Amino acid sequence: MDEVQVVVAHSERVTLRVGDVFLKVDADQARVDAEVEAMSLAPVPTPEVLWREPPVLAIAALPGTTLGRLGGPSTGASTAWAAAGAVIRTLHEAPPPPWPGRAGRDVLALATELDDECAALVANGVLPADLVTRNRRVAEAALRPWTPAFTHGDLQIAHVFLDGDEVTGVIDWSEAGRGDALYDLATFTLGHEEHLDDVIAGYGTEVDLDVIHAWWSLRSLLAVRWLVEHGFDPFAPGCEVDVLKSRM
């Protein structure tokens, strides 16, 4: 061990890697508690919890690599993406936790938040009005009743590790809980639409593609200002703004 790597850092939490250990520092103890409980309930591989000393959670590194990241090139064969889809289906079929997760926000409250955010994006000149209006229209399909599932809530491809075609673990469960299964599928394929068919093939059941597309738009619209304010770049190639442009 010759360095401490900053994996992600913003005002809500910081994740550091020290050798084969990840240290998550989170001021919200309830969020950490929910993360640990979600990992204990999830019927899929998760990292080992080494110790907890609030506000720090230490977990072991996972073997394997991810399929890429948002804004970067994707890796892995079609079979690897399908394997990830199968593991996601296993999670979604498990009894959901009693608490709502990021994917389980109230539809009416979410619609209000989306309308307010779209108005702010245009009023502050962050995004062109036509881009916002078009994606707000696409996002409408996500605002519908859904059957509660055990959802991860932040299932970015950078959070799923594979060794070949085997999923070795899923990390970052702080947003997990009861929610809309299609939110997870949309998050996993955000910015990597070319692999959506592979993921669905592994998932093993039909899904409503209009809802997947809607969640791409909705998630991106809600994320742009937050990302800018926290030092990230949603305008980078392949990231949230490009996702929005792909719906035009």
Side-chain angles (χ1 to χ4, degrees), residues 93-178:
E93 289 185 330
W99 67 88
R102 182 73 174 171
R105 287 169 289 174
D106 176 78
V107 170
L108 293 178
L110 187 59
T112 299
E113 180 185 355
L114 179 60
D115 287 340
D116 291 345
E117 189 61 30
C118 287
L121 288 169
V122 175
N124 295 320
V126 179
L127 293 175
D130 60 339
L131 184 64
V132 172
T133 299
R134 168 58 181 162
N135 278 275
R136 174 62 182 85
R137 191 175 303 122
V138 172
E140 188 70 27
L143 304 174
R144 87 280 179 230
W146 38 266
T147 301
F150 192 149
T151 54
H152 180 278
D154 191 22
L155 200 63
Q156 305 173 44
I157 58 171
H159 292 164
V160 180
F161 285 74
L162 295 96
D163 184 1
D165 292 346
E166 179 185 358
V167 175
T168 59
V170 182
I171 65 172
D172 282 0
W173 292 81
S174 60
E175 306 288 354
R178 190 175 64 252

Side-chain angles (χ1 to χ4, degrees), residues 5 10 14 18 30 34 36 38 44 76 143-144 150 177 180 186 195 212:
Q5 177 188 359
H10 50 76
V14 176
V18 185
V36 172
V44 301
L143 304 174
R144 87 280 179 230
F150 192 149
D180 179 5
H195 291 293
I212 297 288

Side-chain angles (χ1 to χ4, degrees), residues 39-63:
M39 287 193 290
S40 72
L41 295 174
V44 301
T46 60
E48 177 188 2
V49 175
L50 300 176
W51 51 265
R52 296 173 66 190
E53 187 66 36
V56 182
L57 170 67
I59 60 176
L62 291 169

